[in-house]
Amino acid sequence: MPKREALAVGLAAVVLVVVLPLCNALPADTPFAVSNFTINLFGKFLTYAILALGLDLLWGYAGVLSLGHGVFFGLGAYAMGMHLMLEIGAKSVYQSALPDFMVWNQVTALPLFWKPFHSVVFTLAAIVLVPALFGLAFGYLAFRSRIRGVYFSIITQALALSAWLVFNRNEMNLGGTNGLADFKTVFGFPLNRPGTQRGLYAVTALTLVGAYLLCRWITLTRAGKVLVAIRDSETRVLFSGYSPAAYKLFVFVVSAALAGIAGALYAPQVGIITPAKIGVLPSIEMVVWVAAGGRGSLYGAVLGAFGVNWIQSWLTTSYPDLWLLFLGGLFMGAVLFFPDGIVGALGRLGARVRRLVSRPDPAVSTPSVSLGRPTP
């Protein structure tokens, strides 16, 4: 990693992991205090940034555009949500060991696939393994069949639609359209306490730093160079003796696992997970984050996820009718005017300014030197 980037990552890590939680712990009337609402909102944005990192690794470096990453995000969130629902126990509205929605649906016994989620260890493993294994199965079938380009994007979009339809069914015993909500504790810590939310934020920030370092390490290895070569010309990579399908499957699984981790961190901080986060529209929004920030740069994906969602939070509060218009305009602008995102546009602007500054001033003439014989 270049020294300048390492310094920037270290500074950002200190601010996100140390400074902001300390500011949140300050009394509310102090100048540098950060409110509980803000720290919770930033925690949600950072989960989106983790997902955007995985999507940028897949799309920005390998050139594989997925329009169904909301599925992997939802799998991780539902895995965490199932454990949190079981943690409620008899403290639910109906004072039953079953989740409330099962009591509504007249379910008399806990479904078999719910029971392992009583275990914290199993839940933590499922958060990573369920999205990764699902991505492995789906990616293997897709890449083995040499599906690529726009066709791969279409089938991932169909995957998101199918998953949304499945999770909406009450027969799945996953809450139907209402999803999983009303969490009270996370691993025994009450969610309504500011200290718990501060801890969740700190864990999310640490996870984001770790995810960034993992993705940057992958891009700097030989596998990362092959991924970029696949993006630029998959046929040449194939003729060079490499297997593009294997490399694309590897990065697809990593991206799916990061999305699942992001979803697991999202659920307790927001307090709800529904099929609405799995469908087609959320998956397209995730692509917009990466496109707006700048794909193929990693930090651009982080800035895009954080910036777009911050603007969304402000617009939906102050001007709710303008959000979708802004989102559509942002996507069109990213495609037409700055295809490499805000980071790429700023980089080109900075390079142009440096060229203008370093260009010699034509008004300043240099003295001419005569090479002829001196006159007596």
Side-chain angles (χ1 to χ4, degrees), residues 233-279:
S233 179
E234 184 172 339
T235 305
R236 291 185 179 180
V237 173
L238 183 62
F239 289 159
S240 299
Y242 292 94
S243 174
Y247 284 91
K248 290 194 292 186
L249 180 60
F250 161 72
V251 73
F252 189 74
V253 171
V254 172
S255 182
L258 288 177
I261 294 171
L265 292 169
Y266 170 90
Q269 295 187 85
V270 177
I272 186 172
I273 177 63
T274 69
K277 298 301 294 184
I278 298 178

Side-chain angles (χ1 to χ4, degrees), residues 23-302:
C23 291
N24 177 246
L26 295 174
D29 55 350
T30 55
F32 298 102
V34 175
S35 67
N36 296 329
F37 172 80
T38 302
I39 204 73
N40 181 256
L41 189 66
F42 279 17
K44 182 178 73 171
F45 294 165
L46 294 185
T47 63
Y48 292 153
I50 296 170
L51 185 148
L53 276 174
L55 187 57
D56 187 35
L57 189 66
L58 177 66
W59 182 32
Y61 285 87
V64 179
L65 175 59
S66 170
L67 296 179
H69 253 52
V71 175
F72 307 113
F73 182 83
L75 289 174
Y78 268 89
M80 174 63 81
M82 291 167 70
H83 176 77
L84 299 183
M85 292 294 290
L86 293 176
E87 271 196 355
I88 296 175
K91 297 178 182 178
S92 60
V93 174
Y94 295 99
Q95 298 182 351
S96 170
L98 297 175
D100 287 337
F101 71 87
M102 291 188 185
V103 179
W104 302 336
N105 295 330
Q106 299 180 352
V107 177
T108 57
L110 191 68
L112 185 62
F113 72 95
W114 272 77
K115 293 182 179 180
F117 287 93
H118 279 290
S119 169
V120 174
V121 176
F122 180 87
T123 301
L124 293 177
I127 286 167
V128 180
L129 294 179
V130 171
L133 292 176
F134 187 77
L136 178 65
F138 179 83
Y140 175 77
L141 295 174
F143 297 132
R144 187 191 64 170
S145 303
R146 298 185 180 180
I147 298 175
R148 56 183 180 178
V150 66
Y151 302 104
F152 183 82
S153 302
I154 291 173
I155 64 170
T156 54
Q157 194 171 54
L159 173 67
L161 179 60
S162 302
W164 176 77
L165 292 173
V166 169
F167 276 78
N168 270 299
R169 295 177 62 87
N170 288 327
E171 294 84 351
M172 290 294 296
N173 288 321
L174 290 172
T177 55
N178 295 323
L180 308 178
D182 196 27
F183 309 134
K184 299 185 183 303
T185 61
V186 52
F187 303 143
F189 296 95
L191 279 171
N192 58 359
R193 291 183 182 176
T196 304
Q197 291 295 329
R198 191 183 308 126
L200 283 171
Y201 167 83
V203 171
T204 305
L206 280 172
T207 306
L208 175 62
V209 174
Y212 184 92
L213 295 176
L214 172 65
C215 292
R216 177 56 72 198
W217 174 76
I218 291 175
T219 61
L220 295 177
T221 61
R222 179 181 295 180
K225 304 299 187 295
V226 175
L227 291 175
V228 174
I230 292 172
R231 179 194 66 189
D232 295 339
S233 179
E234 184 172 339
T235 305
R236 291 185 179 180
V237 173
L238 183 62
F239 289 159
S240 299
Y242 292 94
S243 174
Y247 284 91
K248 290 194 292 186
L249 180 60
F250 161 72
V251 73
F252 189 74
V253 171
V254 172
S255 182
L258 288 177
I261 294 171
L265 292 169
Y266 170 90
Q269 295 187 85
V270 177
I272 186 172
I273 177 63
T274 69
K277 298 301 294 184
I278 298 178
V280 174
L281 181 58
S283 299
I284 294 177
E285 286 184 9
M286 296 166 188
V287 174
V288 175
W289 304 340
V290 179
R295 64 188 183 102
S297 60
L298 293 183
Y299 54 86
V302 173

